[in-house]
Amino acid sequence: PFYVEEVVRALLDAEAVELHEGRFRATERIHAFVVPGTIQEVVTARLDRLDTEKRRILQIASVIGGSFHRDVLEEIHGEAQLDARIAELQQGAFLEASDRSAGVEYGFKHPLIQEVTYDGILQARREELHREVALAMERRLPADLAGREGMLAYHWSLGRDAERAEDHLFRAGDEAARAAGSSEALHFFREASRLYFDLHGEGGDPVKKARLQRSIASALYYRGQLVDAVEAFSDAMESLGERVPRRQPAMALRFVPNL
């Protein structure tokens, strides 16, 4: 159904079809119109017919996400005629109003519109936009907005700023842990750990490594994965220079004096 809708909109955009007295009517341009073979081609053709500014708005929005705050978009695009252009993009069925969180928010009419728009951005420009989006979110979104830290970690990561991404992943993990979201916290902490080791290799701050492993261990513990939690707690201790026995006999020998 979405393919059929987009083909009809493409016909209207190309003026190959017009609406006359409540009915569609073909024009002379119908003979030159080539019906795209896939939904991606239909959406791409419609995007190509947009003027530069509207296409730029959609590109920025596609980097922000499936739904986006107007304030974040304005921080990057600027205020001039933004609302008028958003209204035209709504009229063209590219965007729609959204109310997932506080503030003025919009979303893509269909996930494929976002996907095709995003895929059409050059890699270097895409990374630059992710960094711009992260800065805009830091300036415009409330610090206590649910999921803010995870969003920032995501954009800094795709913007190739591993250090900032890692910092926000730490915070996102702490936020999820406080909200009893152990699965989400585990994901964030593991991602932070991966970024930290990519950044520092075998070096880096041992206290920070221990904190990462401890956070992973806590998330595993609250998920009931006790064996994995013990391993992660042991990794945390070893990051601080503590020798931790891993084999059964050595663990038994250590257990007796501890008891």
Side-chain angles (χ1 to χ4, degrees):
F2 181 61
Y3 172 76
V4 175
E5 285 179 26
E6 289 299 292
V7 168
V8 173
R9 289 194 181 101
L11 286 162
L12 289 165
D13 290 346
E15 297 179 355
V17 164
E18 62 184 9
L19 196 59
H20 180 71
E21 295 179 355
R23 297 173 66 87
F24 287 120
R25 183 173 68 182
T27 69
E28 279 301 311
R29 295 190 180 189
I30 195 76
H31 302 293
F33 186 85
V34 178
V35 177
T38 67
I39 184 62
Q40 286 83 358
E41 289 173 8
V42 181
V43 174
T44 300
R46 293 199 64 218
L47 290 169
D48 288 344
R49 289 193 185 95
L50 293 172
D51 63 48
T52 306
E53 277 307 305
K54 286 182 199 162
R55 196 157 58 243
R56 180 170 172 252
I57 287 169
L58 286 179
Q59 286 177 341
I60 297 168
S62 75
V63 172
I64 299 171
S67 61
F68 56 92
H69 288 80
R70 182 203 171 280
D71 288 350
V72 173
L73 181 63
E74 183 193 35
E75 182 72 22
I76 302 166
H77 176 271
E79 194 173 5
Q81 298 185 318
L82 179 60
D83 290 326
R85 287 181 176 128
I86 288 175
E88 288 169 8
L89 288 167
Q90 285 181 275
Q91 192 175 355
F94 291 99
L95 300 176
E96 61 184 0
S98 177
D99 58 356
R100 287 178 55 190
S101 60
V104 179
E105 194 175 18
Y106 297 95
F108 283 86
K109 185 80 174 176
H110 194 281
L112 272 171
I113 298 174
Q114 182 204 358
E115 183 184 313
V116 172
T117 307
Y118 185 84
D119 288 345
I121 307 170
L122 293 173
Q123 180 67 29
R125 176 59 182 151
R126 203 184 297 171
E127 289 175 10
E128 184 185 344
L129 277 173
H130 275 293
R131 292 191 293 272
E132 288 181 27
V133 168
L135 287 171
M137 284 181 168
E138 286 179 350
R139 292 185 191 121
R140 292 297 191 104
L141 296 185
D144 59 351
L145 181 70
R148 178 180 181 269
E149 296 301 332
M151 287 189 286
L152 286 169
Y154 169 78
H155 288 294
W156 283 124
S157 179
L158 291 179
R160 301 288 180 184
D161 192 326
E163 206 160 320
R164 281 176 166 168
E166 174 215 322
D167 179 50
H168 286 288
L169 279 166
F170 260 116
R171 297 184 196 180
D174 288 338
E175 183 183 88
R178 284 195 300 273
S182 55
S183 296
E184 190 179 0
L186 180 60
H187 164 73
F188 287 132
F189 287 133
R190 277 180 167 162
E191 190 64 16
S193 179
R194 182 189 65 78
L195 281 170
Y196 192 81
F197 280 95
D198 283 352
L199 202 61
H200 302 285
E202 293 302 313
D205 182 357
V207 174
K208 203 164 190 180
K209 285 183 177 179
R211 183 187 163 202
L212 267 171
Q213 292 302 325
R214 184 195 65 188
S215 299
I216 290 170
S218 295
L220 286 165
Y221 173 79
Y222 287 114
R223 278 169 55 89
Q225 296 173 241
L226 303 184
V227 174
D228 292 335
V230 168
E231 284 294 311
F233 274 123
S234 297
D235 289 341
M237 295 295 288
E238 287 180 343
S239 295
L240 297 171
E242 179 78 16
R243 291 187 64 188
V244 180
R246 300 282 186 163
R247 295 184 180 179
Q248 288 295 107
M251 289 175 72
L253 282 172
R254 181 161 181 166
F255 176 74
V256 173
N258 281 350
L259 182 61

